[in-house]
Structure formats: C-alpha cells, structure tokens
Amino acid sequence: MKKLVLFLLLLSATVIVHGQQKNLSMLDAMANVRTTLAPQSLRGLQFLYGKEDYVYIKPLNNEMAWFTGNAGKKEDQLFLTLKQLNQKLRVAQQDTLAAMPAIQFNKGKEWIFAVNGKQLAYNPSANTFTTLMDRSLAGKDKAERSVAGYTAYLENYNLFVNDGQTAKQVTNDGTANVVYASSVHRDEFGISKGTFWSNNGKQLAFYRMDQSMVADYPIIDWTSRPAKNINIKYPMAGDKSHEVTVGVYNAQTQNVVYLKTGEPAEQYLTNIAWSPDDKYVYIAVLNRGQNHMELKQFDAQTGNYIKTLFEERDAKYVEPLVPVKFLKNDPQQFIWQSNRDGWNHLYLYSANGKLIKQLTKGNWEVLEVKGFDTSGDNLFYVSTEESPITRNLYVLNIRSGKSKRITTGTAVHNTEVSSSGNTVLDRFSTTKNPGTIDLVEVKTGQRKQLLQAADPLKNYALGESSIFTIKGKSGDDLYCNLFKPTHLDSTKKHPVIVYWYGGSHAQLILDQWNGGAGNYWFQYLAEQGFVVLVMDTRGSDNRGKAFEQSMFRKVGDVQMEDMMTAVDYLKRLPYTDEKNMGLFGWSFGGFNTVDFMLNHPDVFKAAVAGGAVTNWNFYEVMYTERYMDTPQENPEGYAATNLTNQIQKLKGKLLLIHGLQDNVVLQQNTVELVKKAVDNNIQVDYMIYPGHEHNVLGKDRTHLYQKVTDYFMQNLK
C-alpha cells in the first residue's frame, strides 16, 4: 500500500517552539517549506567511491561547483567546476553542458552523469568517457543497464536487450494484458521493479504478468472532447487475480527459460535475488492467503526448481519484504530479514537453508541494511533500538554477533557509509534541531561537523508542540504530537483538529525536524487558533508484529478504540473545546475517519476524509486480503467495514475528497457512499480533483489544504 502511504508521509509534522513576530501563510506552509523555509543542507552530498573523501555541490561565482573534504582537512576544497568538466568533455569529443549536472560519485570507480539525454561514465584515473546509454536507449521505458554493458528496456509492451550495438527482442507476446519487466503484485511485498540483472550482468531475471483474467476497470480521461475511457486492470478482493511468472534471459546465448514456480497460478513471487555465482535465482513464494512463505531456489540455466530452503507460516499473515543478502566474504551464507519473533530482525543462514543464528534480537525493528565493510565481517544496519520514533545506525560483527551504535543522540539519522565502512556521513535532525551533518569515523567515533542548519522558522510566531505517549486500553504506548495555538490562552476553549492514518507501513510521529513532513500545515492551523493532535494508533508501522496485526480481519476497530483514548486525553485538557472538534485522514486514514464518524457520531463535529476506502470489497487483492482475508472467508469483517451501508449513522459534517483519476483507491468507494447518503437523505460534502490520482500534488495541493482549512474554519469556529 505504498501509494496510499505517500500522502500521509507528506502530512506528519513536528515543529519547534518559538515566539517571534511573523505568521505562516498558506503559501509558506505548503510551498515555501520546500524553498525559502526549508532547512539548509548540502546538496548532492556523497562519498567518493573507494575513499573517505566526501563531495557536495554548491554555488560558486554564479554557477554550481563540486567541493570535497575529509576528516583530516579543516577546510573543504574546490573539486570540480563546470569549466573543468566541459574541458574534459570537449577533449573526448562529447557534448558540453550549460549547467553542472547531478553526478554519482559513490556507485563505482567511474562518475555517472547525463549529458543531453545520454548517460556517460567518466573514469578519472584514465581520463576517459564511456557512453553507458545513448539518447535513444536512455529514453526507453524501464531502461536498466548491467555491469556487463547490456541494457534492458520495454518497447511496444515487449522486453528488449541491447548489447551496445544491436537490440535483441526477448519476448513477442507482450500486450496491455501480458506485461513484461514491470513491477507486479500492485507494488506490494517490497516490489518496485521488474528486471533483475545477475551479478556479472550477463543474465536477466524478469517478471511476466498475465492479467488478461482480471476485470477491466474504467478510469475516465476528462481532458479530451468527448471524454474517453482508459481501462486499467484492478483485481478486487476475493476476485480473480493476475498470474505471474519469472523468466531468465541469457544475454550471451540469447536463450530464455522460465522458472518452474509451479501451481497454483495465483501466488506471489517476491524478493528476487541471484546467488553470488549467478547459477541460481532465489524467490520468496507466498500463497494467496499470505500465511505461508517458502524461500525457493531455482536453476538459472534450466529454470528447474531445486529446493525450498525454509518456510515461514503465521496464523494471520507473512509479509516478505527484502531479498536474501549473501555475505560479502562467504558465498555459502546469507542474511534473511523476518519478524517471526514479533520484531523485524536479521537471521544468518547457510546456503542450503540451515539457520545458523539470529543476528539481532529485541523489542525493536531493523529498518534497513546498509551493507558490509571492506572485509565483509561487519554489517551496517538502521534500527529503532533506542526508540520507535528515532533512527540510528549500528554496525554488527557477523562472527561475534555484537553490535555497536555509530550515531549518537536522540534523533532521526539518515546515513551513508563509505565503501570501506570506515567513515559515515550522518545527516540528522530532531524536533528542536533543523539539521546537522557530521562526518563520523567508525572506529574512534570522532566527528567533524560539516553543517549546522539555521532555524528557517526563527522569525515566525509558532505555537508550542510536543511529542508524548498516552496509554491505550491495550496497554500499548500510543505516540502523539500536540500543537498548541500560538499565544495560547489556557483559560479559553479552543477548537481541536486531529490527524491520523493508523494503517500499515506508515508512521506519523518521529523525533525529527517537522516530523519528516513536506509542509507546516499543522503549525499553520495552530496559528489560526486550533489545538492540533497527530497520533499513531495500533496498525501503524515499526512497533512490532502484534501492534500491526491487531487489526487483522476487522480493520478500524483497534484504531477507533485508540482514537477514543486520544479523545479522552483531549477532553481533559482545560483549553480544548470538546464541542468543536474535527477529524482528518487520507487513504487508510480516510477510511478510519469515516468509520469513526459513523460509529462514534457524537465525538467530532466535522471531518474530512480524502481518498477513502469506504468498502473493502472495492480494494485490491494483495493489500486487502492480507489484513482482512477474502470476502468469502470473512463476510462479517467485510460487512462491518462496509461504511456505505452505515452512512445513516452520520451526525456531524463530512467532507469527502477524491482524485478523479485515482487508480489506487477507486473513486467508486466515495461515489457509492454519496449515493447511499442521498438515498437516506443524509447530507455530505464532496470535492474532486481532476487530473490527480491518489495524491493531489503540485500547485493543486495548496488548493486542497485551503479547502480543508476552510471546512474546519466554517464548522468549528
């Protein structure tokens, strides 16, 4: 449900306390937050591959130039100017550039950048250029180049591979119904692409998705005259799903085999990985019921199934998200991520599927594996060990199993590790710190500060905000962020707005500048006199398996219970007006909002639900069946969460918002709800955003937030 999560990630906010003179405008809150009101940073900051030196880009004499530094240098030095780069290009008889391009210095020995549509690689040692992809190839759909110089791409629905001189058509039956080399399974299970080059770059694993059996769903293009229908394939819960297979193309022999993944055809093929010697392909095969995963090994030459290395079962669901990662210094061992003990952790396996040991353990989550150091003995990973609302980098010794924390302080750290593993670029912020960038030596812990961002809101009169927890009825700590009105008068009652999401793969509350949000809207509301509460209910991410799985088979119930806990807290505050409270959520949060308004109709006076699922029968197979099972297996759960049939319980004001081209949460959800409201003489408000899918972006986003703000101003003040 990544596309659902995108909207709320742009909303979550935590802002610091100030007492200056200016007030935020809506333009400040929604647009200037990315420009004049964004914290300072170092653009393009990265390591030079194979070195401990870092580079970044900044203005010099009215144009951009690259600068470099390291732990031993007090002052950074000029590294590369546009004039110098163009001189190198002229000597190589390449096109020159009018502006400094974005350059990848950390992916290998060569610098990678684009020149007039071409992708070039510059070798600084040999002072030579190589064309990785010419303009025609770089512009192809799904173009991906291997280390051996082959480029895979899509054209007219079919997969092609170009060796640098000629193109080989790998498939011939591609259509709108038979999709090649593209993300499958609606981007669930960590899937984001459809091609997977082998380590030596000479073999390509690729997805083939037959969706001919999935019903067409109409999305209307309103820009033409007359409007025209564009069909998409959208497998709804309980209905026929698509069928996926995995092919392997050998670029040297030009042979194609399909892995014998077997029956049933409706299964999920996820987390594709190659063995270090490129002889085998590993796939996490998940049944449609999503409660049984088998890690399977296949022969890349013949497609034959070799064996199942191990299985994972769960009474509710299994959700594999990350492929196997073989050790850098031992091709006979790999690391697997699993939440089988209740928390996502790292497990060390032998190549034959035998568990060697659990590498990390505790009531916290491993969020990301960064990679190995030069020796391969040490692995870097990011976790929530300190707190669910922080992010820290650790290094783990594979042999001893001992971990060492690299980053310091209560904060959210975003890190890059040098190719040697000796040095770390540490970007971090907190609710009181807009941003710091340090260079950290792993062994000694010594730090060199590269940047301390100034406070972009120092001249604004902001209300006080604080992160805290409240105890839910389940006994869980529920994280909240409270924004008090600017110049709060605690003797007066202030209207309240609560924002939430409450679904999986999303977390709103972080100890980070502005909570990682893309806007200052919550603080803007506080300036208008609102008390604003943001909260993470059960069902949210990074709190362990039980916390997320609590909503299994009847989504919304635990979220509503936790919201009532938050409401009780708000009512106890002396400065909140419990008669004038509003609720807002998008996507899963939109569902929760409507659900709460119908089942607790006397709590919130007004609510806004954007892109809301209102009937889980209308949502996609992969996500819905994970948390709800199928409608056939769980008719009571689907009936209880069919909000359309409960609209007659609505008492407060409700504004529904939907993107007119939404292909994630289909507009049929809210259209059906409105129709039932009309049938029952229930008044609801409705707003559409033509040209937008699930997320309202660009300049229209400011319009959206003005609409929501006006709705609460009209109904709560």
Side-chain angles (χ1 to χ4, degrees), residues 3-297:
K3 294 183 284 283
L4 281 170
V5 171
L6 173 61
F7 192 92
L8 63 102
L9 288 178
L10 297 171
L11 273 172
S12 66
T14 304
V15 183
I16 64 178
V17 179
H18 287 285
Q20 302 295 332
Q21 69 275 15
K22 296 173 68 175
N23 287 327
L24 290 165
S25 66
M26 184 64 77
L27 184 64
D28 289 331
M30 302 309 302
N32 294 341
V33 65
R34 295 184 294 276
T35 55
T36 57
L37 292 182
Q40 296 167 286
S41 188
L42 294 178
R43 179 180 162 193
L45 180 65
Q46 59 191 290
F47 280 112
L48 288 173
Y49 183 81
K51 298 183 179 182
E52 310 309 312
D53 297 353
Y54 55 84
V55 292
Y56 59 91
I57 191 171
K58 69 176 183 179
L60 176 69
N61 299 328
N62 298 318
E63 64 181 27
M64 304 302 289
W66 290 92
F67 286 76
T68 186
N70 57 42
K73 297 178 181 177
K74 290 185 178 180
E75 299 293 332
D76 295 343
Q77 299 175 346
L78 182 63
F79 181 70
L80 180 69
T81 66
L82 180 61
K83 182 178 179 180
Q84 291 169 334
L85 180 58
N86 276 334
Q87 178 61 28
K88 296 176 188 295
L89 289 165
R90 286 192 194 96
V91 171
Q93 297 184 328
Q94 297 282 349
D95 294 340
T96 57
L97 292 156
M100 181 66 78
I103 304 177
Q104 289 185 328
F105 294 99
N106 59 358
K107 300 301 182 183
K109 296 179 180 179
E110 296 178 315
W111 306 351
I112 310 298
F113 59 98
V115 177
N116 296 334
K118 293 191 299 184
Q119 189 180 72
L120 294 183
Y122 172 68
N123 187 320
S125 299
N127 197 28
T128 56
F129 285 89
T130 303
T131 300
L132 302 181
M133 286 192 280
D134 62 25
R135 191 176 294 106
S136 62
L137 271 182
K140 297 291 187 183
D141 188 23
K142 306 292 192 301
E144 183 180 5
R145 188 179 187 271
S146 79
V147 296
Y150 297 99
T151 300
Y153 62 91
L154 276 178
E155 188 170 84
N156 296 324
Y157 299 107
N158 281 299
L159 173 64
F160 289 76
V161 172
N162 189 299
D163 64 5
Q165 295 181 337
T166 59
K168 164 68 176 178
Q169 185 169 344
V170 178
T171 66
N172 296 285
D173 60 338
T175 64
N177 286 331
V178 178
V179 180
Y180 282 102
S182 303
S183 180
V184 299
H185 302 322
R186 299 284 296 178
D187 297 335
E188 296 293 330
F189 318 110
I191 299 170
S192 61
K193 56 191 293 259
T195 50
F196 310 88
W197 282 108
S198 62
N199 299 290
N200 66 12
K202 298 177 181 179
Q203 297 181 85
L204 177 71
F206 60 91
Y207 277 127
R208 179 186 189 272
M209 177 172 64
D210 183 356
Q211 53 183 2
S212 59
M213 67 291 296
V214 178
D216 288 337
Y217 193 91
I219 300 291
I220 306 301
D221 175 7
W222 298 93
T223 62
S224 62
R225 179 179 182 272
K228 61 184 178 182
N229 173 61
I230 298 175
N231 284 325
I232 64 170
K233 294 292 186 177
Y234 194 98
M236 293 185 181
D239 291 351
K240 185 69 177 173
S241 187
H242 54 237
E243 299 175 1
V244 172
T245 51
V246 175
V248 175
Y249 172 70
N250 189 311
Q252 293 181 305
T253 65
Q254 298 189 350
N255 184 49
V256 178
V257 298
Y258 282 87
L259 305 184
K260 298 174 183 177
T261 49
E263 299 292 335
E266 289 190 357
Q267 58 185 353
Y268 301 118
L269 307 181
T270 74
N271 308 137
I272 293 175
W274 285 89
S275 62
D277 60 9
D278 292 338
K279 291 182 178 179
Y280 305 106
V281 175
Y282 298 87
I283 303 178
V285 181
L286 186 67
N287 66 329
R288 177 162 172 172
Q290 301 189 46
N291 57 7
H292 181 204
M293 186 281 299
E294 300 172 89
L295 183 61
K296 293 187 176 183
Q297 180 184 20

Side-chain angles (χ1 to χ4, degrees), residues 309-310 324-338 340 345-360 372 376-377 379 396-401:
L309 277 69
F310 58 83
V324 300
K325 186 176 187 66
F326 280 87
L327 299 193
K328 185 175 182 178
N329 57 6
D330 188 349
Q332 296 305 310
Q333 294 183 2
F334 64 82
I335 292 171
W336 178 252
Q337 294 191 39
S338 172
R340 64 182 64 160
H345 282 296
L346 308 179
Y347 295 81
L348 183 64
Y349 276 88
S350 67
N352 63 11
K354 180 181 178 181
L355 177 63
I356 299 173
K357 60 182 175 180
Q358 183 172 349
L359 293 170
T360 60
F372 297 97
D377 294 332
L379 180 74
L396 166 74
N397 185 275
I398 302 296
R399 294 178 182 176
S400 69

Side-chain angles (χ1 to χ4, degrees), residues 45 47 51-54 69-72 380 392-395 404-409 413-428 436-450:
L45 180 65
F47 280 112
K51 298 183 179 182
E52 310 309 312
D53 297 353
Y54 55 84
N70 57 42
F380 293 87
N392 280 287
L393 179 70
Y394 293 78
V395 61
K404 172 187 173 183
R405 179 171 159 181
I406 305 301
T407 51
T408 60
H413 295 265
N414 293 293
T415 54
E416 179 184 336
V417 183
S418 67
S419 47
S420 68
N422 294 330
T423 316
V424 170
L425 286 168
D426 180 17
R427 306 170 182 85
F428 63 93
T436 304
I437 302 178
D438 285 348
L439 185 71
V440 184
E441 293 184 357
V442 172
K443 288 184 179 180
T444 65
Q446 291 185 337
R447 308 177 76 88
K448 172 186 175 181
Q449 188 174 103
L450 307 185

Side-chain angles (χ1 to χ4, degrees), residues 491-547:
T491 66
K492 295 182 179 180
K493 298 291 186 179
H494 299 267
V496 178
I497 296 174
V498 180
Y499 178 75
W500 63 337
Y501 182 78
S504 62
H505 298 294
Q507 183 180 6
L508 299 181
I509 310 300
L510 289 170
D511 192 355
Q512 182 179 22
W513 179 256
N514 200 35
N519 60 61
Y520 295 131
W521 185 66
F522 295 136
Q523 189 61 65
Y524 175 82
L525 290 176
E527 289 184 344
Q528 310 308 308
F530 290 99
V531 175
V532 182
L533 182 76
V534 186
M535 76 172 302
D536 282 321
T537 66
R538 278 173 291 169
S540 302
D541 206 9
N542 303 322
R543 295 292 305 279
K545 182 165 66 171
F547 194 83

